């Protein structure tokens, strides 16, 4: 089992009006896992807690940095990750190439992180 994703969370900012945001977790140098929980996120509880271990569910967004997006057919990691059992709860974000889900249980977020760690990028041979 990989390191607990919650240990990798670093608070980026916090305010009474905008809740709290954690920095993205970059996996394999280009896959991006955004796990958020606060008073403005779809988390359980929907509160800004100091103890990240107290959250039962998270608002999660997945993306990919670089020229290719996560959902780009034939190039994005979503081609494979979309086959995972947890992927059914994700929907496309309004920004192309981002997949998101609300109220994702902590154990499932951990599985997503582990699946992203295990994903192997095929070498790209085109432009």
């Amino acid at each position: 089992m990989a390191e607990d994703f919650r240990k990798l969370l670093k608070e980026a900012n916090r305010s009474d009006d905008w809740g709290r945001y954690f920095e993205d977790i970059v996996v394999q140098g280009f896959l991006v896992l955004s796990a958020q929980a606060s008073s403005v996120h779809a988390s359980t509880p929907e509160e800004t807690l100091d103890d990240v271990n107290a959250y039962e569910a998270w608002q999660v967004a997945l993306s990919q940095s670089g020229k290719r997006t996560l959902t780009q057919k034939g190039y994005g990691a979503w081609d494979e990750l979309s086959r995972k059992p947890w992927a059914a709860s994700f929907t496309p974000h309004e920004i192309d190439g981002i997949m998101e889900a609300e109220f994702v249980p902590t154990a499932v977020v951990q599985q997503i992180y582990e699946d992203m760690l295990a994903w192997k990028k095929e070498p790209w041979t085109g432009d």
Side-chain angles (χ1 to χ4, degrees):
M1 186 165 139
E3 181 175 22
D4 187 328
F5 79 93
R6 295 171 293 186
K7 291 182 179 178
L8 302 173
L9 295 173
K10 294 181 180 145
E11 192 170 307
N13 57 56
R14 181 192 296 218
S15 75
D16 291 337
D17 294 331
W18 303 105
R20 178 206 33 237
Y21 285 84
F22 293 109
E23 293 178 9
D24 294 338
I25 299 171
V26 179
V27 182
Q28 296 197 44
F30 67 100
L31 297 176
V32 180
L33 167 65
S34 174
Q36 305 297 330
S38 77
S39 59
V40 299
H41 292 101
S43 60
T44 305
E46 290 181 275
E47 298 174 35
T48 303
L49 306 175
D50 290 326
D51 180 7
V52 296
N53 294 311
Y55 288 103
E56 297 173 20
W58 301 75
Q59 183 172 328
V60 176
L62 306 176
S63 61
Q64 184 173 311
S65 61
K67 292 172 109 176
R68 308 292 180 193
T69 67
L70 181 77
T71 57
Q72 187 172 358
K73 294 285 184 210
Y75 301 103
W78 195 246
D79 283 348
E80 182 179 329
L81 294 176
S82 66
R83 296 184 198 119
K84 302 293 182 183
W86 50 260
S89 64
F90 280 79
T91 59
H93 185 272
E94 60 191 32
I95 298 173
D96 188 38
I98 298 174
M99 299 299 290
E100 64 182 351
E102 298 181 337
F103 302 104
V104 181
T106 299
V108 175
V109 180
Q110 181 65 32
Q111 184 61 56
I112 293 167
Y113 174 61
E114 291 181 18
D115 288 344
M116 291 174 83
L117 283 171
W119 183 77
K120 301 293 184 214
K121 180 181 178 185
E122 295 297 321
W124 186 59
T125 56
D127 293 286

